[in-house]
mmCIF file of all heavy atoms in Angstrom:
data_model
loop_
_atom_site.group_PDB
_atom_site.id
_atom_site.type_symbol
_atom_site.label_atom_id
_atom_site.label_comp_id
_atom_site.label_asym_id
_atom_site.label_seq_id
_atom_site.Cartn_x
_atom_site.Cartn_y
_atom_site.Cartn_z
ATOM 1 N N HIS A 221 124.255 151.231 5.517
ATOM 2 C CA HIS A 221 125.190 150.306 6.159
ATOM 3 C C HIS A 221 126.638 150.585 5.765
ATOM 4 O O HIS A 221 127.527 149.809 6.105
ATOM 5 C CB HIS A 221 124.812 148.850 5.843
ATOM 6 C CG HIS A 221 124.642 148.557 4.383
ATOM 7 N ND1 HIS A 221 125.702 148.312 3.544
ATOM 8 C CD2 HIS A 221 123.521 148.486 3.616
ATOM 9 C CE1 HIS A 221 125.246 148.100 2.319
ATOM 10 N NE2 HIS A 221 123.932 148.189 2.335
ATOM 11 N N GLY A 222 126.872 151.694 5.044
ATOM 12 C CA GLY A 222 128.233 152.110 4.730
ATOM 13 C C GLY A 222 128.749 151.704 3.371
ATOM 14 O O GLY A 222 129.773 152.217 2.921
ATOM 15 N N ALA A 223 128.082 150.776 2.702
ATOM 16 C CA ALA A 223 128.525 150.363 1.369
ATOM 17 C C ALA A 223 128.358 151.522 0.389
ATOM 18 O O ALA A 223 127.481 152.376 0.549
ATOM 19 C CB ALA A 223 127.731 149.159 0.900
ATOM 20 N N GLN A 224 129.188 151.544 -0.638
ATOM 21 C CA GLN A 224 129.128 152.609 -1.633
ATOM 22 C C GLN A 224 129.133 152.010 -3.034
ATOM 23 O O GLN A 224 129.871 151.058 -3.305
ATOM 24 C CB GLN A 224 130.311 153.564 -1.470
ATOM 25 C CG GLN A 224 130.198 154.838 -2.301
ATOM 26 C CD GLN A 224 131.361 155.782 -2.063
ATOM 27 O OE1 GLN A 224 132.503 155.355 -1.989
ATOM 28 N NE2 GLN A 224 131.077 157.070 -1.935
ATOM 29 N N VAL A 225 128.297 152.541 -3.898
ATOM 30 C CA VAL A 225 128.243 152.103 -5.291
ATOM 31 C C VAL A 225 128.303 153.335 -6.181
ATOM 32 O O VAL A 225 128.044 154.462 -5.745
ATOM 33 C CB VAL A 225 126.960 151.293 -5.588
ATOM 34 C CG1 VAL A 225 126.911 150.021 -4.773
ATOM 35 C CG2 VAL A 225 125.718 152.140 -5.326
ATOM 36 N N ALA A 226 128.646 153.117 -7.433
ATOM 37 C CA ALA A 226 128.726 154.218 -8.397
ATOM 38 C C ALA A 226 127.930 153.850 -9.642
ATOM 39 O O ALA A 226 127.771 152.667 -9.971
ATOM 40 C CB ALA A 226 130.180 154.503 -8.760
ATOM 41 N N TYR A 227 127.443 154.870 -10.324
ATOM 42 C CA TYR A 227 126.711 154.657 -11.573
ATOM 43 C C TYR A 227 127.203 155.677 -12.584
ATOM 44 O O TYR A 227 127.143 156.884 -12.346
ATOM 45 C CB TYR A 227 125.202 154.817 -11.347
ATOM 46 C CG TYR A 227 124.361 154.424 -12.544
ATOM 47 C CD1 TYR A 227 124.081 153.083 -12.803
ATOM 48 C CD2 TYR A 227 123.851 155.376 -13.408
ATOM 49 C CE1 TYR A 227 123.311 152.712 -13.897
ATOM 50 C CE2 TYR A 227 123.071 155.016 -14.502
ATOM 51 C CZ TYR A 227 122.803 153.681 -14.740
ATOM 52 O OH TYR A 227 122.029 153.324 -15.827
ATOM 53 N N GLU A 228 127.740 155.175 -13.697
ATOM 54 C CA GLU A 228 128.214 156.031 -14.778
ATOM 55 C C GLU A 228 127.212 155.983 -15.921
ATOM 56 O O GLU A 228 126.738 154.907 -16.289
ATOM 57 C CB GLU A 228 129.583 155.561 -15.278
ATOM 58 C CG GLU A 228 130.704 155.783 -14.286
ATOM 59 C CD GLU A 228 132.053 155.361 -14.842
ATOM 60 O OE1 GLU A 228 132.097 154.418 -15.661
ATOM 61 O OE2 GLU A 228 133.065 155.961 -14.446
ATOM 62 N N GLU A 229 126.933 157.154 -16.505
ATOM 63 C CA GLU A 229 125.911 157.219 -17.549
ATOM 64 C C GLU A 229 126.408 158.035 -18.725
ATOM 65 O O GLU A 229 127.019 159.093 -18.556
ATOM 66 C CB GLU A 229 124.644 157.853 -16.970
ATOM 67 C CG GLU A 229 123.416 157.693 -17.834
ATOM 68 C CD GLU A 229 122.157 158.093 -17.089
ATOM 69 O OE1 GLU A 229 122.254 158.601 -15.964
ATOM 70 O OE2 GLU A 229 121.070 157.894 -17.649
ATOM 71 N N SER A 230 126.142 157.519 -19.929
ATOM 72 C CA SER A 230 126.443 158.251 -21.151
ATOM 73 C C SER A 230 125.135 158.584 -21.839
ATOM 74 O O SER A 230 124.088 158.644 -21.199
ATOM 75 C CB SER A 230 127.370 157.433 -22.057
ATOM 76 O OG SER A 230 126.776 156.203 -22.393
ATOM 77 N N ILE A 231 125.136 158.754 -23.160
ATOM 78 C CA ILE A 231 123.929 159.201 -23.854
ATOM 79 C C ILE A 231 122.753 158.245 -23.656
ATOM 80 O O ILE A 231 121.652 158.653 -23.300
ATOM 81 C CB ILE A 231 124.208 159.372 -25.366
ATOM 82 C CG1 ILE A 231 125.210 160.512 -25.587
ATOM 83 C CG2 ILE A 231 122.908 159.676 -26.121
ATOM 84 C CD1 ILE A 231 125.638 160.679 -27.024
ATOM 85 N N SER A 232 122.984 156.955 -23.879
ATOM 86 C CA SER A 232 121.877 156.000 -23.804
ATOM 87 C C SER A 232 122.203 154.755 -22.989
ATOM 88 O O SER A 232 121.413 153.822 -22.952
ATOM 89 C CB SER A 232 121.453 155.577 -25.221
ATOM 90 O OG SER A 232 122.541 154.985 -25.907
ATOM 91 N N THR A 233 123.348 154.726 -22.334
ATOM 92 C CA THR A 233 123.729 153.555 -21.552
ATOM 93 C C THR A 233 124.221 153.970 -20.180
ATOM 94 O O THR A 233 124.639 155.112 -19.968
ATOM 95 C CB THR A 233 124.850 152.747 -22.253
ATOM 96 O OG1 THR A 233 126.008 153.587 -22.404
ATOM 97 C CG2 THR A 233 124.391 152.255 -23.619
ATOM 98 N N GLY A 234 124.164 153.033 -19.262
ATOM 99 C CA GLY A 234 124.656 153.276 -17.911
ATOM 100 C C GLY A 234 125.303 152.020 -17.366
ATOM 101 O O GLY A 234 124.949 150.906 -17.754
ATOM 102 N N THR A 235 126.259 152.199 -16.478
ATOM 103 C CA THR A 235 126.968 151.066 -15.886
ATOM 104 C C THR A 235 127.002 151.220 -14.378
ATOM 105 O O THR A 235 127.447 152.247 -13.851
ATOM 106 C CB THR A 235 128.418 150.987 -16.419
ATOM 107 O OG1 THR A 235 128.387 150.883 -17.843
ATOM 108 C CG2 THR A 235 129.127 149.758 -15.851
ATOM 109 N N LEU A 236 126.528 150.199 -13.684
ATOM 110 C CA LEU A 236 126.561 150.171 -12.229
ATOM 111 C C LEU A 236 127.890 149.577 -11.784
ATOM 112 O O LEU A 236 128.282 148.495 -12.219
ATOM 113 C CB LEU A 236 125.404 149.319 -11.700
ATOM 114 C CG LEU A 236 125.170 149.322 -10.187
ATOM 115 C CD1 LEU A 236 124.739 150.705 -9.715
ATOM 116 C CD2 LEU A 236 124.109 148.283 -9.825
ATOM 117 N N LEU A 237 128.610 150.292 -10.936
ATOM 118 C CA LEU A 237 129.926 149.870 -10.463
ATOM 119 C C LEU A 237 129.858 149.591 -8.962
ATOM 120 O O LEU A 237 129.457 150.456 -8.183
ATOM 121 C CB LEU A 237 130.964 150.965 -10.728
ATOM 122 C CG LEU A 237 131.066 151.473 -12.167
ATOM 123 C CD1 LEU A 237 131.950 152.703 -12.232
ATOM 124 C CD2 LEU A 237 131.576 150.374 -13.082
ATOM 125 N N GLU A 238 130.256 148.375 -8.569
ATOM 126 C CA GLU A 238 130.205 148.019 -7.161
ATOM 127 C C GLU A 238 131.528 147.482 -6.627
ATOM 128 O O GLU A 238 131.670 147.283 -5.424
ATOM 129 C CB GLU A 238 129.094 146.989 -6.926
ATOM 130 C CG GLU A 238 127.711 147.529 -7.264
ATOM 131 C CD GLU A 238 126.603 146.533 -6.989
ATOM 132 O OE1 GLU A 238 126.222 146.376 -5.815
ATOM 133 O OE2 GLU A 238 126.141 145.897 -7.959
ATOM 134 N N ASP A 239 132.487 147.256 -7.515
ATOM 135 C CA ASP A 239 133.798 146.825 -7.070
ATOM 136 C C ASP A 239 134.435 147.935 -6.234
ATOM 137 O O ASP A 239 134.478 149.095 -6.639
ATOM 138 C CB ASP A 239 134.676 146.512 -8.283
ATOM 139 C CG ASP A 239 136.091 146.144 -7.890
ATOM 140 O OD1 ASP A 239 136.289 145.063 -7.309
ATOM 141 O OD2 ASP A 239 136.994 146.967 -8.162
ATOM 142 N N ARG A 240 134.935 147.576 -5.052
ATOM 143 C CA ARG A 240 135.404 148.576 -4.098
ATOM 144 C C ARG A 240 136.519 149.459 -4.672
ATOM 145 O O ARG A 240 136.499 150.686 -4.516
ATOM 146 C CB ARG A 240 135.887 147.882 -2.822
ATOM 147 C CG ARG A 240 136.301 148.846 -1.724
ATOM 148 C CD ARG A 240 136.814 148.089 -0.511
ATOM 149 N NE ARG A 240 135.812 147.193 0.033
ATOM 150 C CZ ARG A 240 136.057 146.336 1.019
ATOM 151 N NH1 ARG A 240 137.271 146.233 1.532
ATOM 152 N NH2 ARG A 240 135.099 145.552 1.485
ATOM 153 N N ALA A 241 137.478 148.853 -5.344
ATOM 154 C CA ALA A 241 138.594 149.626 -5.886
ATOM 155 C C ALA A 241 138.131 150.596 -6.961
ATOM 156 O O ALA A 241 138.580 151.752 -7.023
ATOM 157 C CB ALA A 241 139.658 148.678 -6.442
ATOM 158 N N THR A 242 137.218 150.153 -7.825
ATOM 159 C CA THR A 242 136.714 151.012 -8.891
ATOM 160 C C THR A 242 135.910 152.176 -8.327
ATOM 161 O O THR A 242 136.072 153.328 -8.752
ATOM 162 C CB THR A 242 135.837 150.203 -9.859
ATOM 163 O OG1 THR A 242 136.588 149.104 -10.384
ATOM 164 C CG2 THR A 242 135.347 151.063 -11.013
ATOM 165 N N VAL A 243 135.044 151.891 -7.359
ATOM 166 C CA VAL A 243 134.246 152.954 -6.740
ATOM 167 C C VAL A 243 135.144 153.955 -6.021
ATOM 168 O O VAL A 243 134.927 155.169 -6.095
ATOM 169 C CB VAL A 243 133.210 152.352 -5.771
ATOM 170 C CG1 VAL A 243 132.461 153.460 -5.028
ATOM 171 C CG2 VAL A 243 132.212 151.470 -6.522
ATOM 172 N N SER A 244 136.184 153.465 -5.350
ATOM 173 C CA SER A 244 137.115 154.362 -4.655
ATOM 174 C C SER A 244 137.829 155.288 -5.638
ATOM 175 O O SER A 244 138.046 156.473 -5.350
ATOM 176 C CB SER A 244 138.152 153.551 -3.869
ATOM 177 O OG SER A 244 137.537 152.838 -2.812
ATOM 178 N N ALA A 245 138.176 154.756 -6.811
ATOM 179 C CA ALA A 245 138.826 155.587 -7.827
ATOM 180 C C ALA A 245 137.881 156.684 -8.315
ATOM 181 O O ALA A 245 138.296 157.837 -8.523
ATOM 182 C CB ALA A 245 139.276 154.718 -8.990
ATOM 183 N N ARG A 246 136.597 156.349 -8.495
ATOM 184 C CA ARG A 246 135.624 157.358 -8.926
ATOM 185 C C ARG A 246 135.408 158.399 -7.820
ATOM 186 O O ARG A 246 135.237 159.589 -8.103
ATOM 187 C CB ARG A 246 134.294 156.700 -9.288
ATOM 188 C CG ARG A 246 134.348 155.708 -10.430
ATOM 189 C CD ARG A 246 134.844 156.330 -11.722
ATOM 190 N NE ARG A 246 134.707 155.413 -12.822
ATOM 191 C CZ ARG A 246 135.592 154.464 -13.141
ATOM 192 N NH1 ARG A 246 136.714 154.354 -12.424
ATOM 193 N NH2 ARG A 246 135.396 153.655 -14.164
ATOM 194 N N GLN A 247 135.423 157.951 -6.573
ATOM 195 C CA GLN A 247 135.257 158.892 -5.470
ATOM 196 C C GLN A 247 136.421 159.875 -5.411
ATOM 197 O O GLN A 247 136.227 161.074 -5.180
ATOM 198 C CB GLN A 247 135.154 158.136 -4.139
ATOM 199 C CG GLN A 247 134.964 159.032 -2.913
ATOM 200 C CD GLN A 247 133.614 159.709 -2.876
ATOM 201 O OE1 GLN A 247 132.591 159.050 -2.747
ATOM 202 N NE2 GLN A 247 133.587 161.033 -2.984
ATOM 203 N N ARG A 248 137.628 159.392 -5.660
ATOM 204 C CA ARG A 248 138.789 160.287 -5.666
ATOM 205 C C ARG A 248 138.676 161.325 -6.783
ATOM 206 O O ARG A 248 138.998 162.509 -6.590
ATOM 207 C CB ARG A 248 140.088 159.486 -5.830
ATOM 208 C CG ARG A 248 140.493 158.725 -4.577
ATOM 209 C CD ARG A 248 141.915 158.224 -4.669
ATOM 210 N NE ARG A 248 142.114 157.257 -5.749
ATOM 211 C CZ ARG A 248 141.904 155.953 -5.648
ATOM 212 N NH1 ARG A 248 141.483 155.446 -4.486
ATOM 213 N NH2 ARG A 248 142.115 155.140 -6.670
ATOM 214 N N ALA A 249 138.215 160.892 -7.957
ATOM 215 C CA ALA A 249 138.046 161.823 -9.071
ATOM 216 C C ALA A 249 136.987 162.870 -8.732
ATOM 217 O O ALA A 249 137.152 164.064 -9.028
ATOM 218 C CB ALA A 249 137.646 161.059 -10.335
ATOM 219 N N TYR A 250 135.907 162.440 -8.077
ATOM 220 C CA TYR A 250 134.840 163.362 -7.674
ATOM 221 C C TYR A 250 135.368 164.349 -6.636
ATOM 222 O O TYR A 250 135.105 165.560 -6.712
ATOM 223 C CB TYR A 250 133.653 162.579 -7.121
ATOM 224 C CG TYR A 250 132.509 163.454 -6.675
ATOM 225 C CD1 TYR A 250 131.495 163.811 -7.555
ATOM 226 C CD2 TYR A 250 132.451 163.941 -5.365
ATOM 227 C CE1 TYR A 250 130.451 164.632 -7.149
ATOM 228 C CE2 TYR A 250 131.419 164.751 -4.956
ATOM 229 C CZ TYR A 250 130.425 165.097 -5.842
ATOM 230 O OH TYR A 250 129.392 165.919 -5.435
ATOM 231 N N ASP A 251 136.117 163.846 -5.658
ATOM 232 C CA ASP A 251 136.647 164.710 -4.598
ATOM 233 C C ASP A 251 137.566 165.789 -5.175
ATOM 234 O O ASP A 251 137.572 166.933 -4.700
ATOM 235 C CB ASP A 251 137.409 163.882 -3.567
ATOM 236 C CG ASP A 251 136.481 163.016 -2.720
ATOM 237 O OD1 ASP A 251 135.267 163.298 -2.699
ATOM 238 O OD2 ASP A 251 136.976 162.064 -2.089
#
Side-chain angles (χ1 to χ4, degrees):
H221 52 81
Q224 190 178 43
V225 297
Y227 188 80
E228 291 182 329
E229 193 169 6
S230 59
I231 294 175
S232 59
T233 60
T235 302
L236 188 66
L237 306 170
E238 298 182 78
D239 176 69
R240 184 182 301 174
T242 303
V243 175
S244 294
R246 299 301 188 276
Q247 181 69 66
R248 286 193 297 274
Y250 180 90
D251 289 343

